[in-house]
Amino acid sequence: MTEQTPPPLPSGDPYQPPASNTPPPADAINEGSVGTGIAICLALMLFGGPAIGIVMSVLMGLLSATGINLYALAWLPALLGPLILPVVAGIWFTRKGQRKTAKGIWLGFAIGIGLVLLLVAACFGLLAGSNFH
């Protein structure tokens, strides 16, 4: 059984054949992956705070040996790290040209904030009937 080729199209015909499912050329720009961005963002949000806390505790230990005491400010980077790290990573991946990874980071950031809001609402709902005691 031989495959027949269609007749050639007339020159003034506006018909365009459908695009093929061939992969992009090897020299195409790598835009990353949305799933990778979500995974990076959630990892930064989960492990960024403890990692910054460990770094800050080592830094405060080294500074206390020199007589400088900044323990009152040591908690601030650890608390703000999970909010700042995904924003920095999203901007970095955008400037690097990996738009899909940056989009995934922003989506992961929105998922994380949404989960926190749902948790706060659930706890508020559970405590609302108990006069918050």
Side-chain angles (χ1 to χ4, degrees), residues 2 6 8 16 21-22 30 33 35 41 57 59 67 70 77 82 86 106 113 115 122:
T2 61
Q16 295 292 328
N21 291 332
T22 58
N30 182 11
S33 167
C41 179
S57 66
L59 183 64
L70 297 175
W106 296 118
I113 297 298
L115 287 174

Side-chain angles (χ1 to χ4, degrees), residues 31-128:
E31 292 185 350
S33 167
V34 175
T36 303
I38 292 173
I40 290 171
C41 179
L42 293 180
L44 286 173
M45 290 179 82
L46 289 175
F47 304 119
I52 290 175
I54 291 170
V55 169
M56 289 302 293
S57 66
V58 169
L59 183 64
M60 290 302 127
L62 292 174
L63 287 177
S64 66
T66 63
I68 300 172
N69 186 358
L70 297 175
Y71 287 116
L73 299 176
W75 57 271
L76 189 62
L79 288 177
L80 294 178
L83 296 175
I84 293 172
L85 288 175
V87 172
V88 171
I91 293 170
W92 184 68
F93 276 106
T94 302
R95 290 188 178 211
K96 194 176 168 184
Q98 294 187 349
R99 296 183 330 189
K100 289 183 182 178
T101 305
K103 200 178 293 186
I105 288 176
W106 296 118
L107 183 62
F109 189 69
I111 289 170
I113 297 298
L115 287 174
V116 167
L117 290 176
L118 285 173
L119 179 64
V120 168
C123 291
F124 183 80
L126 287 173
L127 293 174

